Amino acid sequence: MSLDHTRSAIVVFAMDGCPACDDYLPRFQALVDGFAQHGHPVVYYQLGMPLPAGLIPIIILDGASDDPSIVSFADQHDIGALPTTLLLRRTARPAKLEGAISDQEIHAALISACIANR
């Protein structure tokens, strides 16, 4: 997964049938959609799509996947609980938020991604 043209990204590891994920993902997506409606450059990103510079990719990965690239990425970030949200910024260490974090924590992560994207 190459994110060379972005300054920040948010990656969520979740899976179908996980009660915490089922609670978290709709809340997360509603907040992301709200940011997009207010003009923030967040975009849902699918692996392999072109990513224009200046956008903040929101990537939702299947935490139960056996895809070697997803497994490797999860191992690199020591993903052990679902859901887990990673805030990746070019100029800072990754932030790992485990569990069905609160709306306030999601909002703070989105704000951090937007600030890092400037």
Side-chain angles (χ1 to χ4, degrees), residues 10-48:
I10 295 180
V11 179
V12 176
F13 285 89
M15 69 180 221
D16 288 334
C18 162
C21 300
D22 292 342
D23 168 66
Y24 179 65
L25 282 176
R27 292 186 298 106
F28 175 82
Q29 291 169 328
L31 284 162
V32 169
D33 293 346
F35 267 65
Q37 289 172 2
H38 284 94
H40 295 284
V42 293
V43 61
Y44 289 103
Y45 177 75
Q46 298 293 319
L47 298 178

Side-chain angles (χ1 to χ4, degrees), residues 3-93:
L3 299 173
D4 294 335
H5 299 299
T6 187
R7 293 183 182 136
S8 63
I10 295 180
V11 179
V12 176
F13 285 89
M15 69 180 221
D16 288 334
C18 162
C21 300
D22 292 342
D23 168 66
Y24 179 65
L25 282 176
R27 292 186 298 106
F28 175 82
Q29 291 169 328
L31 284 162
V32 169
D33 293 346
F35 267 65
Q37 289 172 2
H38 284 94
H40 295 284
V42 293
V43 61
Y44 289 103
Y45 177 75
Q46 298 293 319
L47 298 178
M49 288 175 40
L51 182 65
L55 296 180
I56 301 168
I58 306 296
I59 305 163
I60 299 176
L61 296 176
D62 181 1
S65 175
D66 58 3
D67 179 304
S69 64
I70 294 175
V71 171
S72 174
F73 189 70
D75 289 346
Q76 177 185 352
H77 292 282
D78 195 27
I79 304 300
L82 297 178
T84 294
T85 304
L86 295 174
L87 170 58
L88 306 173
R89 297 159 292 185
R90 187 174 294 229
T91 59
R93 290 179 167 257

